[in-house]
Amino acid sequence: VGHRDRLRRIAREVSFEAGTRLFEEGRPADRFWVIRSGTVTLDSRVPGRRAAAIESVSHGELLGWSWHFPPYQWQLGAEALSPVRAWEFDAEAVRAMCARDPEFGRAVAAWVGSV
């Protein structure tokens, strides 16, 4: 069974309306997503100002990498720019899978590291 298939088995289908905050900078990073449709904007809060957009993530892309690196806190915030459908993954479960299977762990680390 391929690495992607193993991940898909634990994926949960989710959807978010436009304007939904998916996560906030500094909060615990306990999950991540692969975007199926729609666009999510990554942003950074600036005191006294509106959050500054950093990047957008859309179809087929990984949303969230902070779950993979201690201290497992979001480095940015994220908001659905349009309606979004995605596969959601529990970070703790994926980290446990990586710990049990070093080859799988290296593949996940390379994938996350490429983001």
Side-chain angles (χ1 to χ4, degrees):
V1 176
H3 300 310
R4 286 181 190 210
D5 290 335
R6 287 180 65 190
L7 278 175
R8 272 197 203 114
R9 285 187 189 149
I10 65 164
R12 185 171 80 98
E13 288 189 42
V14 296
S15 59
F16 304 99
E17 296 297 320
T20 302
R21 295 292 296 174
L22 279 73
F23 52 85
E24 296 291 343
E25 194 173 336
R27 303 293 298 265
D30 61 353
R31 65 198 67 215
F32 65 96
W33 302 265
V34 172
I35 305 299
R36 297 176 60 207
S37 65
T39 302
V40 175
T41 300
L42 297 170
D43 57 38
S44 182
R45 296 281 179 195
V46 180
R49 304 177 84 180
R50 193 164 181 226
I54 306 292
E55 186 178 353
S56 292
V57 180
S58 58
H59 175 74
E61 293 183 296
L62 173 66
L63 172 62
W65 49 265
S66 298
W67 64 273
H68 193 64
F69 303 101
Y72 309 120
Q73 291 182 332
W74 295 117
Q75 300 300 305
L76 298 169
E79 185 172 311
L81 186 63
S82 64
V84 170
R85 289 181 37 217
W87 285 296
E88 183 176 270
F89 301 86
D90 177 87
E92 191 173 325
V94 175
R95 287 194 302 263
M97 290 168 68
C98 291
R100 283 192 305 272
D101 181 344
E103 183 182 330
F104 178 78
R106 282 190 296 277
V108 169
W111 176 48
V112 173
S114 71
V115 174

